[in-house]
Each structure stands twice: as structure tokens, then as C-alpha cells.
Amino acid sequence: MADITRRLGWRHLRGAPTAHIRHHRGGKLLHDGPGLSFWFRALTAALSEVPVDDRELAMTFHARTSDFQDVAVQATVTYRIGDPALAAARLDFSIDPDTGVWRGSPLEQLGTLLTETAQQHALDVLTRTSLAAALVDGVSAVRERIAAGLEAEPRLPATGIEVVAVRVMALRPEPEVERALRTPAREQIQQEADRATYERRAVAVERERAIAENELASQIELARREEQLVEQRGTNARREAEEHAAADAVRAEAEAARAVRLSRAEAEGAREVGAARAQAQAAWLQVHADVDVATLHALTGTRLAENLPHIDSVTISPDVLTGLLARLGAREPE
């Protein structure tokens, strides 16, 4: 929509770069082009605004296949007005000089033209195609047929319209038919899922069995090794006891032999000591046998004096002295 302002009976129009403006006054074309800006009088001006940008036209229509099934077609047509002068001459793109709003609805007319043309070519394809084929390959076939039909349509270039692209988003059957068609696929998917579940469970059971067998084998091997360990420990204990017994026997024999040698040595020493003592005693007796009695008494007194304890002082009472003198007096006559 053009931007129009008022100034003292004059109007100023400022167009967008994507809008082609045509200004007529008195049947003469004064301004023609996109993005114009100029002053004009409202009473004498005839203005047209033709959009020249690319526009998207979404369309949805119903068709029937060769097996009498209804389908809904969702498509989008991208177009633009390539010849604004021709389009302004064929369609009403005039705008109000005070507000800049279109007096008619030219874009709706273009949309109707494009939609009806596209629908006609889509119906030509779908009426000769079964529902199953349309759902599989119908999107590309309908898109190609609509594009070719719009390109060959003579009314579009006569109106200055250029088709840029055609897209078909979906071909959908009725909801009941779609649910019926989805049922086998869903059942197949469910069967695949169930099969995968069963296979996964079978694999899990097999793995659990393998794990249990490995655990049992490990326990058996552990028990066997424990048995070997107990047997080895018993063997080691027997060997250790035998070694200890042999060592004790050797030690006992050594101690017995040592005791025998010690006893023999002690007996030999005792015999030698006895013989030496006997010899000494015999020699002592022989020496004393040759000595007189007085000498023996003297030796006896000396030996007795040597064996008596040390006496610091001796107190002789009169009675003892009397008895001693009496004894001495009695011995003198002998």
C-alpha cells in the first residue's frame, strides 16, 4: 500500500521499491516505475500500484482418484508480476488517491486464476491414478503436471504473470481411509518391534545362561583349586613334621652322643682325680709313716691352728688352768 500524505489540496505519494506505480492524468502517463515519490492532485490523478515482488500462494483442494477415493492436495505456487503495465491493464490495481488502498481485490483474482488452473491439472493426473499410486508417487507427478500446466496456460502471460516455482507438500486421503491404510503398516511395525523384543529377550536369556555357566565353571574350578590347596597344605604339613622329627632325632642322637662323651670324660676325669688323690694320700701316708710321734703331734697342732678361727684374746679361768696343769702333770711320768 502506497504512503500518501496531504498538503493544502495536494497529495504526496511515496511508493515502496517492490511496488510499481503508474500515474495517469487526463489519459496521459506521467509517472511509471517502482519506488516513485511525487506530488499530485487527487481530483485529476489516476493511480495504480502493482506489486512486483515474489508472492506465495498456498492452495488446498480436493480430488478423486481412479478408485473413487477422495484426497486432499496441499500445494504452494510462487509467482510474480513480470509486466506491471499489462497486469494493470488486465486487472484493477487502482488505488484511492487519499488513502492508497486498492479499490478492488486484484490479488484475489490472481489467486483464483492460479488456484483453478493448478487444480484443473492436478485433477487430470489424479483421476487416472489409484490411491495407492497417488500416495507413493503422486506428489512428484502432481507437481510436475501443475508446473507444466501453469507454464502452458495462455492467460497467465496475457495477464503479465510469471510462475517462479511450484511445490506440492502433501497428498492426504480421508481420515478413515488413512487410518485403514496405516493399520497394516502399524501392525507390521508392531510385529517387527515384538520380534525385536523377543530376540532381545532371547539374547538376554542366552547371555544370562552363559553367565551362569561361567559362574558355575568358576566355582568348580575354585573348588578344585581349593582341594589342591588343602592337599598341598597337608603334604607340606607332613613334610614339615617329618623334617621336624628327623631334626629332633638327629638332635637327640647328637645330645645322647654328647652326653655319653661327657659321661665318659667325667668318669675318666674322676678316675684320674681319684688315682691322683690316692697317690697323693699314699705319698702323704708314706711321709708320715717315717716321721716320729712328736713331729706328728706338732704337725697336727699346726694344722689345727691353721683351721681354728682367729682369736684376738683368750681368757683362762682358774678352773681351766687347774685342769690343764693337772693333765700336763699326769702326762709327764709317761
Side-chain angles (χ1 to χ4, degrees), residues 228-268:
Q228 293 178 355
L229 179 61
V230 171
E231 183 179 357
Q232 187 64 36
R233 286 179 177 175
T235 302
N236 294 339
R238 287 194 298 273
R239 289 180 179 178
E240 185 176 359
E242 291 175 357
E243 293 294 335
H244 284 308
D248 292 340
V250 172
R251 188 181 303 108
E253 292 178 358
E255 290 180 356
R258 179 174 175 275
V260 170
R261 290 193 299 270
L262 182 61
S263 298
R264 289 178 180 177
E266 289 178 353
E268 185 67 23

Short mmCIF file of all heavy atoms in Angstrom, two decimals, residues 228-268:
data_model
loop_
_atom_site.label_atom_id
_atom_site.label_comp_id
_atom_site.label_asym_id
_atom_site.label_seq_id
_atom_site.Cartn_x
_atom_site.Cartn_y
_atom_site.Cartn_z
N GLN A 228 43.10 -78.85 45.80
CA GLN A 228 44.54 -78.96 45.58
C GLN A 228 45.31 -78.23 46.66
O GLN A 228 46.36 -78.69 47.13
CB GLN A 228 44.90 -78.41 44.20
CG GLN A 228 44.37 -79.24 43.04
CD GLN A 228 44.71 -78.63 41.69
OE1 GLN A 228 45.26 -77.54 41.63
NE2 GLN A 228 44.40 -79.34 40.62
N LEU A 229 44.77 -77.06 47.06
CA LEU A 229 45.44 -76.29 48.10
C LEU A 229 45.45 -77.03 49.43
O LEU A 229 46.48 -77.08 50.13
CB LEU A 229 44.76 -74.94 48.25
CG LEU A 229 45.31 -73.99 49.32
CD1 LEU A 229 46.76 -73.65 49.01
CD2 LEU A 229 44.46 -72.72 49.40
N VAL A 230 44.29 -77.65 49.79
CA VAL A 230 44.23 -78.42 51.04
C VAL A 230 45.19 -79.60 50.99
O VAL A 230 45.92 -79.89 51.95
CB VAL A 230 42.77 -78.89 51.28
CG1 VAL A 230 42.72 -79.86 52.45
CG2 VAL A 230 41.87 -77.68 51.57
N GLU A 231 45.19 -80.30 49.83
CA GLU A 231 46.10 -81.43 49.68
C GLU A 231 47.55 -80.98 49.78
O GLU A 231 48.38 -81.64 50.44
CB GLU A 231 45.84 -82.10 48.33
CG GLU A 231 46.68 -83.34 48.10
CD GLU A 231 46.36 -83.99 46.76
OE1 GLU A 231 45.44 -83.48 46.08
OE2 GLU A 231 47.02 -84.99 46.42
N GLN A 232 47.87 -79.88 49.13
CA GLN A 232 49.24 -79.38 49.19
C GLN A 232 49.62 -78.96 50.60
O GLN A 232 50.75 -79.19 51.05
CB GLN A 232 49.39 -78.21 48.22
CG GLN A 232 50.81 -77.70 48.07
CD GLN A 232 51.73 -78.74 47.47
OE1 GLN A 232 51.31 -79.51 46.62
NE2 GLN A 232 52.97 -78.80 47.94
N ARG A 233 48.63 -78.32 51.28
CA ARG A 233 48.91 -77.93 52.68
C ARG A 233 49.16 -79.16 53.54
O ARG A 233 50.06 -79.17 54.40
CB ARG A 233 47.74 -77.13 53.23
CG ARG A 233 47.66 -75.70 52.69
CD ARG A 233 46.46 -74.98 53.26
NE ARG A 233 46.44 -73.58 52.80
CZ ARG A 233 45.45 -72.74 53.08
NH1 ARG A 233 44.42 -73.14 53.81
NH2 ARG A 233 45.51 -71.49 52.63
N GLY A 234 48.37 -80.25 53.35
CA GLY A 234 48.61 -81.48 54.11
C GLY A 234 49.97 -82.07 53.81
O GLY A 234 50.69 -82.52 54.72
N THR A 235 50.31 -82.08 52.51
CA THR A 235 51.63 -82.60 52.13
C THR A 235 52.75 -81.78 52.78
O THR A 235 53.73 -82.33 53.29
CB THR A 235 51.77 -82.58 50.61
OG1 THR A 235 50.72 -83.36 50.02
CG2 THR A 235 53.11 -83.15 50.19
N ASN A 236 52.56 -80.45 52.72
CA ASN A 236 53.56 -79.58 53.35
C ASN A 236 53.65 -79.81 54.85
O ASN A 236 54.75 -79.81 55.43
CB ASN A 236 53.23 -78.12 53.05
CG ASN A 236 53.34 -77.79 51.58
OD1 ASN A 236 54.01 -78.49 50.83
ND2 ASN A 236 52.67 -76.72 51.16
N ALA A 237 52.45 -80.01 55.48
CA ALA A 237 52.46 -80.25 56.93
C ALA A 237 53.17 -81.57 57.26
O ALA A 237 53.96 -81.66 58.22
CB ALA A 237 51.02 -80.26 57.46
N ARG A 238 52.88 -82.64 56.44
CA ARG A 238 53.55 -83.93 56.67
C ARG A 238 55.06 -83.79 56.47
O ARG A 238 55.85 -84.31 57.27
CB ARG A 238 52.98 -84.98 55.73
CG ARG A 238 51.58 -85.45 56.11
CD ARG A 238 51.21 -86.71 55.35
NE ARG A 238 51.19 -86.49 53.92
CZ ARG A 238 50.15 -86.05 53.23
NH1 ARG A 238 49.01 -85.78 53.88
NH2 ARG A 238 50.19 -85.87 51.93
N ARG A 239 55.42 -83.10 55.40
CA ARG A 239 56.85 -82.90 55.17
C ARG A 239 57.49 -82.13 56.31
O ARG A 239 58.60 -82.45 56.77
CB ARG A 239 57.07 -82.16 53.85
CG ARG A 239 56.76 -83.02 52.62
CD ARG A 239 57.00 -82.23 51.36
NE ARG A 239 56.73 -83.03 50.17
CZ ARG A 239 56.81 -82.57 48.93
NH1 ARG A 239 57.17 -81.30 48.72
NH2 ARG A 239 56.54 -83.36 47.92
N GLU A 240 56.79 -81.09 56.77
CA GLU A 240 57.33 -80.30 57.86
C GLU A 240 57.47 -81.14 59.13
O GLU A 240 58.48 -81.06 59.86
CB GLU A 240 56.41 -79.10 58.10
CG GLU A 240 56.95 -78.12 59.14
CD GLU A 240 56.06 -76.90 59.28
OE1 GLU A 240 55.04 -76.82 58.55
OE2 GLU A 240 56.38 -76.02 60.12
N ALA A 241 56.42 -81.99 59.42
CA ALA A 241 56.50 -82.85 60.61
C ALA A 241 57.64 -83.85 60.48
O ALA A 241 58.40 -84.11 61.45
CB ALA A 241 55.17 -83.59 60.80
N GLU A 242 57.78 -84.46 59.25
CA GLU A 242 58.88 -85.39 59.05
C GLU A 242 60.24 -84.71 59.22
O GLU A 242 61.16 -85.26 59.83
CB GLU A 242 58.77 -86.00 57.64
CG GLU A 242 57.56 -86.93 57.49
CD GLU A 242 57.40 -87.41 56.05
OE1 GLU A 242 58.20 -86.96 55.21
OE2 GLU A 242 56.49 -88.22 55.79
N GLU A 243 60.34 -83.50 58.67
CA GLU A 243 61.60 -82.77 58.81
C GLU A 243 61.88 -82.46 60.27
O GLU A 243 63.02 -82.60 60.75
CB GLU A 243 61.54 -81.48 57.99
CG GLU A 243 61.48 -81.70 56.49
CD GLU A 243 62.76 -82.31 55.96
OE1 GLU A 243 63.82 -82.13 56.60
OE2 GLU A 243 62.70 -82.99 54.91
N HIS A 244 60.82 -82.04 61.01
CA HIS A 244 61.00 -81.75 62.44
C HIS A 244 61.39 -83.03 63.19
O HIS A 244 62.27 -83.01 64.08
CB HIS A 244 59.72 -81.17 63.03
CG HIS A 244 59.49 -79.74 62.66
ND1 HIS A 244 60.43 -78.75 62.84
CD2 HIS A 244 58.41 -79.11 62.10
CE1 HIS A 244 59.96 -77.59 62.42
NE2 HIS A 244 58.72 -77.78 61.94
N ALA A 245 60.70 -84.16 62.86
CA ALA A 245 61.03 -85.42 63.55
C ALA A 245 62.47 -85.84 63.27
O ALA A 245 63.21 -86.27 64.16
CB ALA A 245 60.05 -86.52 63.11
N ALA A 246 62.84 -85.71 61.95
CA ALA A 246 64.23 -86.07 61.61
C ALA A 246 65.22 -85.16 62.32
O ALA A 246 66.26 -85.62 62.84
CB ALA A 246 64.42 -85.99 60.08
N ALA A 247 64.88 -83.88 62.38
CA ALA A 247 65.77 -82.95 63.07
C ALA A 247 65.83 -83.28 64.56
O ALA A 247 66.93 -83.24 65.18
CB ALA A 247 65.29 -81.52 62.85
N ASP A 248 64.68 -83.61 65.16
CA ASP A 248 64.67 -83.97 66.59
C ASP A 248 65.49 -85.23 66.83
O ASP A 248 66.22 -85.35 67.84
CB ASP A 248 63.24 -84.16 67.06
CG ASP A 248 62.46 -82.86 67.07
OD1 ASP A 248 63.10 -81.78 67.08
OD2 ASP A 248 61.20 -82.90 67.05
N ALA A 249 65.33 -86.20 65.89
CA ALA A 249 66.10 -87.45 66.06
C ALA A 249 67.59 -87.17 65.98
O ALA A 249 68.39 -87.68 66.80
CB ALA A 249 65.68 -88.46 64.99
N VAL A 250 67.98 -86.39 64.99
CA VAL A 250 69.40 -86.04 64.87
C VAL A 250 69.88 -85.30 66.10
O VAL A 250 70.97 -85.55 66.64
CB VAL A 250 69.62 -85.22 63.59
CG1 VAL A 250 71.05 -84.68 63.55
CG2 VAL A 250 69.33 -86.06 62.36
N ARG A 251 69.00 -84.36 66.56
CA ARG A 251 69.38 -83.59 67.75
C ARG A 251 69.49 -84.50 68.97
O ARG A 251 70.43 -84.38 69.79
CB ARG A 251 68.35 -82.49 67.98
CG ARG A 251 68.74 -81.51 69.07
CD ARG A 251 67.68 -80.45 69.29
NE ARG A 251 67.39 -79.73 68.06
CZ ARG A 251 66.28 -79.86 67.36
NH1 ARG A 251 65.34 -80.72 67.78
NH2 ARG A 251 66.10 -79.17 66.25
N ALA A 252 68.52 -85.45 69.11
CA ALA A 252 68.57 -86.37 70.27
C ALA A 252 69.81 -87.25 70.20
O ALA A 252 70.49 -87.50 71.22
CB ALA A 252 67.30 -87.22 70.29
N GLU A 253 70.11 -87.80 68.97
CA GLU A 253 71.31 -88.61 68.84
C GLU A 253 72.56 -87.82 69.19
O GLU A 253 73.48 -88.31 69.86
CB GLU A 253 71.40 -89.15 67.40
CG GLU A 253 70.32 -90.17 67.07
CD GLU A 253 70.41 -90.65 65.63
OE1 GLU A 253 71.30 -90.13 64.92
OE2 GLU A 253 69.62 -91.52 65.24
N ALA A 254 72.59 -86.57 68.70
CA ALA A 254 73.75 -85.74 68.99
C ALA A 254 73.86 -85.47 70.50
O ALA A 254 74.97 -85.54 71.07
CB ALA A 254 73.66 -84.42 68.21
N GLU A 255 72.71 -85.17 71.11
CA GLU A 255 72.75 -84.91 72.56
C GLU A 255 73.15 -86.17 73.33
O GLU A 255 73.90 -86.11 74.32
CB GLU A 255 71.38 -84.40 73.02
CG GLU A 255 71.07 -82.99 72.52
CD GLU A 255 69.70 -82.52 72.98
OE1 GLU A 255 69.00 -83.33 73.62
OE2 GLU A 255 69.36 -81.34 72.71
N ALA A 256 72.61 -87.35 72.86
CA ALA A 256 72.97 -88.60 73.55
C ALA A 256 74.47 -88.88 73.41
O ALA A 256 75.16 -89.26 74.38
CB ALA A 256 72.16 -89.77 72.99
N ALA A 257 74.95 -88.71 72.18
CA ALA A 257 76.38 -88.94 71.96
C ALA A 257 77.21 -87.96 72.79
O ALA A 257 78.24 -88.34 73.39
CB ALA A 257 76.72 -88.79 70.47
N ARG A 258 76.76 -86.74 72.83
CA ARG A 258 77.48 -85.74 73.63
C ARG A 258 77.44 -86.12 75.11
O ARG A 258 78.44 -85.99 75.84
CB ARG A 258 76.85 -84.37 73.39
CG ARG A 258 77.48 -83.25 74.19
CD ARG A 258 76.88 -81.92 73.76
NE ARG A 258 77.36 -80.84 74.58
CZ ARG A 258 76.84 -80.48 75.77
NH1 ARG A 258 75.80 -81.14 76.26
NH2 ARG A 258 77.37 -79.47 76.46
N ALA A 259 76.21 -86.56 75.57
CA ALA A 259 76.11 -86.96 76.99
C ALA A 259 77.03 -88.14 77.30
O ALA A 259 77.68 -88.21 78.36
CB ALA A 259 74.65 -87.30 77.32
N VAL A 260 77.08 -89.11 76.31
CA VAL A 260 77.95 -90.27 76.53
C VAL A 260 79.41 -89.82 76.61
O VAL A 260 80.18 -90.26 77.49
CB VAL A 260 77.74 -91.29 75.40
CG1 VAL A 260 78.80 -92.39 75.46
CG2 VAL A 260 76.35 -91.91 75.54
N ARG A 261 79.79 -88.96 75.63
CA ARG A 261 81.16 -88.48 75.65
C ARG A 261 81.46 -87.71 76.94
O ARG A 261 82.54 -87.83 77.53
CB ARG A 261 81.42 -87.61 74.43
CG ARG A 261 81.45 -88.39 73.12
CD ARG A 261 82.03 -87.52 71.99
NE ARG A 261 81.22 -86.34 71.78
CZ ARG A 261 80.20 -86.27 70.95
NH1 ARG A 261 79.84 -87.36 70.26
NH2 ARG A 261 79.52 -85.15 70.78
N LEU A 262 80.45 -86.88 77.35
CA LEU A 262 80.65 -86.11 78.58
C LEU A 262 80.77 -87.03 79.80
O LEU A 262 81.63 -86.83 80.69
CB LEU A 262 79.49 -85.13 78.76
CG LEU A 262 79.56 -84.20 79.97
CD1 LEU A 262 80.82 -83.32 79.87
CD2 LEU A 262 78.32 -83.32 80.06
N SER A 263 79.92 -88.08 79.81
CA SER A 263 79.97 -89.01 80.95
C SER A 263 81.31 -89.74 80.99
O SER A 263 81.92 -89.94 82.04
CB SER A 263 78.82 -90.01 80.87
OG SER A 263 77.57 -89.33 80.93
N ARG A 264 81.70 -90.15 79.73
CA ARG A 264 82.99 -90.83 79.67
C ARG A 264 84.13 -89.92 80.11
O ARG A 264 85.04 -90.32 80.85
CB ARG A 264 83.24 -91.31 78.24
CG ARG A 264 82.34 -92.48 77.84
CD ARG A 264 82.60 -92.87 76.40
NE ARG A 264 81.73 -93.99 76.02
CZ ARG A 264 81.69 -94.51 74.79
NH1 ARG A 264 82.49 -93.99 73.85
NH2 ARG A 264 80.90 -95.52 74.54
N ALA A 265 84.05 -88.68 79.69
CA ALA A 265 85.10 -87.74 80.07
C ALA A 265 85.08 -87.50 81.58
O ALA A 265 86.14 -87.45 82.22
CB ALA A 265 84.91 -86.42 79.30
N GLU A 266 83.84 -87.37 82.12
CA GLU A 266 83.73 -87.14 83.57
C GLU A 266 84.26 -88.36 84.34
O GLU A 266 84.95 -88.22 85.36
CB GLU A 266 82.29 -86.85 83.93
CG GLU A 266 81.81 -85.47 83.44
CD GLU A 266 80.35 -85.23 83.80
OE1 GLU A 266 79.71 -86.19 84.30
OE2 GLU A 266 79.86 -84.09 83.56
N ALA A 267 83.88 -89.57 83.82
CA ALA A 267 84.36 -90.78 84.52
C ALA A 267 85.88 -90.89 84.45
O ALA A 267 86.55 -91.22 85.44
CB ALA A 267 83.71 -92.03 83.89
N GLU A 268 86.40 -90.60 83.24
CA GLU A 268 87.85 -90.64 83.08
C GLU A 268 88.53 -89.62 83.98
O GLU A 268 89.54 -89.91 84.64
CB GLU A 268 88.22 -90.39 81.61
CG GLU A 268 89.69 -90.53 81.31
CD GLU A 268 90.16 -91.96 81.47
OE1 GLU A 268 89.29 -92.87 81.38
OE2 GLU A 268 91.35 -92.19 81.69
#
